[in-house]
């Protein structure tokens, strides 16, 4: 199913990402207005942009300067599509530069809070906003000369803050309206999205459910069959439930034991999926098969790709087996989310990918099954709202995220049965103690990591030489950024004491106090 393919009556706002740390926030703010938004790399083709049927286009900020040799490229024809365009920060510089103006390093950089004055009171972008606004700036360049037809709409003490050319339907601001630090920033975005672009605020959970069911039925056809890759987590459970509404018994959900699941998870997840969701589940114990492929592998990217490839091999095999019972299977359903796609897709063409998600970049080039990814344009909290709208139990919806490659990316170094057993026990203690403290649903993710570090300890007057375990707990809204959680000392104490006392093979516990960025949530 095509990513983000919308029905004729729908409209979207396409955001071209030039590398800003705030790009995902732009998308989220627009979705708060009940309008669908899609983030594409600035290098996206014109055809891909048009496929989202945009009502308007937003050019994001970014860390580069437009006059840099490696400035992020984009198809400048987006400025001549006849659609409303809003440039933000770097987006403003890009517009000025491409349309014949001049951008230069500013005499004074602006970072943080600033006050701007609206000098053009009839600007539609600033409709019903006060003449003075507190905003959040983050720029070192300035537009020195505007292209013909543009006028200044707002200024700060140091530079212009907003420009427009209504005849060309182009607006641009030097500040970031998407961040909370900009007061009335959402109102400005509302003016652009709802008033200037004319988008309708109809993108609700129920609308998404109805439209996705229609799309799946249309894509698969009246006789088509699919299998769903179930992990037991929120994403795949919601994806399976959603497609089950569309296909019924023509969907078989396959839950694979990849050998790196949490303690007792293979049995527990099967019970949840069958008894609480009523899904048609087939369980496949392929643990040894995965572990054989992972033997001797220490590189994180290789682990992810091996697991991704092996998953598809298992599903292809299972689809072939199921064909003998239910007929030909052509489709594979996955619970891929937007952060998975964004982190796996380069914004600036040759730039670095943060990491390959096994259900995005880990897929083999020649895959027999065609993909259906109904949640591919959603953030985690939006997925939970979809699940609630479908009446799914909170016990399933409130499960913390668990990576597709499982404990393999929480075991640094080689994945062995001994290390898996150690981490399963330690992780079980972490989850139990955080639940006991009433913190589980308040934390985005909390888990243990097994480090390839041996240290000396003393137990019962005897010397020990055992592994080190790291504890990770983070707050996040959508997984794109995260802050470490200051767990209460008593909780940390109980976790540490239990792990050292109960998990033979671990004699030291440390706590990870790294945010994302600069780190990632998972260690690998």
């Amino acid at each position: 199913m095509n990513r983000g393919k919308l029905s004729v009556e729908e409209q979207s706002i396409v955001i071209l990402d030039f590398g800003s740390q705030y790009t995902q926030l732009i998308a989220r703010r627009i979705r708060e207005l009940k309008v669908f938004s899609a983030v594409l790399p600035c290098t996206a083709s014109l055809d891909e942009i048009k496929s989202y049927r945009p009502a308007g286009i937003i050019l994001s900020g970014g860390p580069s300067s437009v006059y840099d040799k490696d400035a992020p490229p984009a198809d400048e024809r987006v400025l001549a599509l006849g659609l409303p365009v809003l440039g933000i920060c770097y987006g403003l510089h890009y517009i000025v530069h491409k349309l014949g103006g001049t951008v230069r390093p500013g005499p004074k950089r602006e970072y943080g809070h600033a006050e701007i004055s609206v000098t053009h009171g009839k600007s539609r972008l600033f409709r019903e906003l006060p003449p003075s606004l507190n905003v959040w700036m983050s720029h070192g360049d300035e537009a020195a000369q505007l292209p013909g037809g543009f006028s200044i709409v707002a200024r700060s003490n140091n530079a212009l803050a907003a420009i427009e050319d209504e005849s060309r339907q182009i607006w641009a601001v030097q500040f970031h309206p998407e961040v909370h630090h900009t007061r009335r920033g959402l109102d400005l975005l509302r003016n652009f999205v709802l008033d200037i672009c004319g988008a309708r605020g109809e993108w609700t959970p129920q609308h998404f459910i109805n439209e996705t069911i229609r799309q799946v039925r249309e894509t698969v056809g009246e006789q088509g069959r699919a299998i769903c890759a179930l992990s037991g987590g929120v994403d795949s459970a919601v994806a399976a439930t959603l497609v089950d509404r569309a296909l019924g018994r023509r969907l078989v959900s396959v839950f694979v034991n990849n050998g790196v699941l949490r303690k007792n998870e293979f049995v527990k997840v099967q019970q949840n999926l069958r008894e609480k969701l009523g899904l048609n589940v087939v369980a496949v114990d392929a643990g040894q098969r995965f572990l054989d492929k992972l033997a001797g592998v220490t590189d994180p990217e290789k682990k992810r790709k091996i697991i991704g490839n092996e998953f598809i091999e298992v599903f292809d095999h299972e689809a072939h087996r199921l064909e003998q019972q239910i007929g030909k299977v052509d489709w594979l359903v996955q619970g891929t989310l937007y952060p998975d796609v964004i982190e796996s897709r380069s914004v600036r063409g040759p730039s670095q990918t943060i990491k390959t998600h096994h259900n995005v970049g880990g897929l083999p080039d020649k895959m027999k099954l065609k993909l259906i990814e109904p949640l591919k344009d959603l953030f985690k909290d939006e997925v939970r709202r979809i699940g609630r709208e479908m009446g799914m139990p909170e016990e399933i919806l409130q499960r913390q995220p668990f990576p597709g490659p499982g404990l393999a990316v929480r075991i640094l170094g080689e994945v062995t049965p001994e290390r898996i057993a150690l981490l399963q026990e330690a992780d079980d203690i972490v989850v139990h103690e955080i639940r006991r403290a009433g913190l589980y649903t308040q934390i985005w993710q909390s888990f243990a990591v097994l480090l390839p570090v041996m240290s000396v300890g003393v137990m019962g007057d005897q010397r020990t030489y055992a592994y080190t375990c790291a504890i990770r707990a983070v707050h996040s809204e959508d997984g794109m950024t995260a802050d470490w959680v200051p767990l209460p000392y008593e909780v940390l104490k109980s976790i540490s004491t239990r792990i050292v006392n109960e998990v033979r093979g671990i004699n030291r516990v440390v706590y990870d106090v790294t945010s994302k960025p600069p780190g990632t949530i998972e260690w690998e």
Side-chain angles (χ1 to χ4, degrees):
M1 189 166 65
N2 232 359
R3 177 184 61 256
K5 185 63 73 175
L6 305 170
S7 61
V8 174
E9 75 274 14
E10 286 191 278
Q11 297 173 308
S12 70
I13 300 295
V14 167
I15 302 159
L16 295 185
D17 182 16
F18 288 91
S20 171
Q21 61 180 314
Y22 302 130
T23 300
Q24 309 313 315
L25 275 179
I26 304 173
R28 297 191 62 81
R29 297 295 170 253
I30 293 170
R31 293 184 185 192
E32 287 173 20
L33 300 172
K34 297 182 179 179
V35 174
F36 180 76
S37 59
V39 177
L40 300 180
C42 58
T43 52
S45 69
L46 213 58
D47 286 341
E48 183 176 12
I49 293 169
K50 289 179 179 179
S51 75
Y52 282 84
R53 307 179 191 273
I57 295 172
I58 293 179
L59 310 180
S60 84
S64 300
S65 295
V66 292
Y67 44 77
D68 289 345
K69 289 183 179 179
D70 62 346
D75 191 328
E76 58 193 82
R77 289 178 294 173
V78 299
L79 301 177
L81 286 175
L83 296 171
V85 175
L86 173 64
I88 295 176
C89 198
Y90 179 91
L92 181 149
H93 301 154
Y94 178 84
I95 290 168
V96 170
H97 180 65
K98 290 298 180 181
L99 295 181
T102 305
V103 178
R104 68 185 181 193
K108 185 175 181 180
R109 295 183 298 177
E110 289 185 305
Y111 293 103
H113 291 283
E115 186 170 315
I116 67 168
S117 298
V118 180
T119 57
H120 183 2
K122 293 185 179 180
S123 171
R124 294 168 65 192
L125 190 64
F126 288 87
R127 185 175 62 87
E128 297 184 2
L129 295 180
S132 180
L133 288 171
N134 290 315
V135 301
W136 185 261
M137 293 281 195
S138 180
H139 70 98
D141 293 342
E142 68 171 4
Q145 182 178 352
L146 297 183
F150 278 84
S151 59
I152 297 174
V153 178
R155 289 182 178 275
S156 70
N157 289 332
N158 300 306
L160 62 81
I163 61 174
E164 68 177 31
D165 182 347
E166 178 125 15
S167 65
R168 279 192 274 195
Q169 296 197 79
I170 298 177
W171 290 258
V173 294
Q174 186 63 78
F175 55 90
H176 288 275
E178 68 273 22
V179 303
H180 287 299
H181 301 297
T182 294
R183 295 182 182 178
R184 305 294 298 272
L186 184 60
D187 291 329
L188 185 145
L189 290 173
R190 180 182 287 110
N191 286 342
F192 178 73
V193 172
L194 301 185
D195 181 23
I196 294 174
C197 296
R200 297 177 295 277
E202 300 172 349
W203 195 71
T204 62
Q206 190 57 55
H207 184 87
F208 176 85
I209 292 166
N210 295 340
E211 181 60 20
T212 301
I213 289 173
R214 184 196 67 77
Q215 289 176 17
V216 170
R217 287 174 177 165
E218 182 181 287
T219 301
V220 175
E222 294 183 3
Q223 302 299 322
R225 294 175 175 81
I227 59 175
C228 178
L230 278 177
S231 69
V234 177
D235 311 332
S236 63
V238 172
T241 302
L242 192 53
V243 177
D244 183 72
R245 298 277 177 96
L247 303 182
R249 303 304 287 182
R250 289 189 288 138
L251 172 71
V252 178
S253 294
V254 180
F255 177 47
V256 176
N257 179 12
N258 60 4
V260 282
L261 298 175
R262 290 183 175 120
K263 183 179 179 180
N264 299 326
E265 193 162 37
F266 190 49
V267 174
K268 290 178 182 176
V269 168
Q270 289 182 61
Q271 293 172 342
N272 278 338
L273 297 174
R274 290 194 180 107
E275 297 171 11
K276 296 182 179 177
L277 296 180
L279 296 176
N280 182 17
V281 178
V282 171
V284 180
D285 191 348
Q288 192 58 52
R289 174 174 176 165
F290 280 83
L291 294 183
D292 288 345
K293 290 290 179 73
L294 289 168
V297 177
T298 59
D299 179 77
E301 278 294 284
K302 287 184 179 178
K303 288 183 188 179
R304 288 177 175 273
K305 287 185 178 293
I306 286 170
I307 291 172
N309 277 279
E310 202 61 24
F311 262 122
I312 299 304
E313 288 294 325
V314 171
F315 289 130
D316 270 342
H317 179 268
E318 196 60 29
H320 181 71
R321 189 187 67 82
L322 287 169
E323 283 180 358
Q324 312 305 316
Q325 304 173 14
I326 63 174
K328 186 172 174 56
V329 176
D330 293 314
W331 299 90
L332 168 63
V333 180
Q334 289 196 136
T336 310
L337 297 196
Y338 215 18
D340 300 338
V341 177
I342 295 298
E343 287 194 343
S344 296
R345 187 175 184 185
S346 170
V347 169
R348 296 177 57 185
S351 67
Q352 274 194 330
T353 294
I354 296 172
K355 59 187 177 185
T356 298
H357 288 265
H358 85 283
N359 53 347
V360 181
L363 299 178
D365 294 331
K366 295 181 180 179
M367 190 175 67
K368 300 173 187 174
L369 298 172
K370 293 172 283 187
L371 280 177
I372 296 176
E373 296 177 298
L375 310 178
K376 200 170 184 178
D377 289 308
L378 300 185
F379 294 100
K380 177 74 75 172
D381 59 321
E382 293 172 329
V383 171
R384 288 192 169 109
R385 285 202 295 273
I386 298 298
R388 289 189 184 98
E389 192 76 20
M390 292 191 295
M392 294 174 64
E394 285 296 313
E395 178 185 347
I396 292 174
L397 295 178
Q398 289 298 334
R399 281 196 63 173
Q400 292 181 358
F402 186 63
L407 299 181
V409 292
R410 294 177 180 175
I411 298 172
L412 275 63
E414 185 181 4
V415 178
T416 66
E418 175 210 10
R419 291 178 173 180
I420 293 170
L422 287 175
L423 185 55
Q424 284 177 331
E425 293 299 327
D427 183 74
D428 192 58
I429 290 170
V430 171
V431 173
H432 181 271
E433 290 301 317
I434 285 178
R435 283 188 184 277
R436 193 165 70 91
L439 299 173
Y440 184 80
T441 58
Q442 301 173 34
I443 296 173
W444 175 265
Q445 264 174 290
S446 49
F447 54 89
V449 180
L450 189 66
L451 307 184
V453 175
M454 307 288 282
S455 70
V456 174
V458 179
M459 292 183 184
D461 295 328
Q462 291 185 342
R463 178 186 183 275
T464 62
Y465 190 57
Y467 284 106
T468 300
C469 173
I471 309 302
R472 180 83 159 134
V474 296
H475 286 310
S476 181
E477 192 175 68
D478 50 35
M480 297 304 301
T481 60
D483 291 323
W484 62 277
V485 177
L487 285 177
Y489 288 133
E490 288 304 312
V491 175
L492 286 171
K493 181 179 179 181
S494 61
I495 290 173
S496 176
T497 301
R498 284 196 60 193
I499 289 177
V500 172
N501 286 342
E502 298 175 27
V503 185
R504 188 179 296 273
I506 295 176
N507 68 354
R508 191 174 298 272
V509 177
V510 298
Y511 191 54
D512 183 350
V513 292
T514 312
S515 296
K516 175 187 178 180
T520 53
I521 294 177
E522 299 293 342
W523 277 49
E524 289 192 340

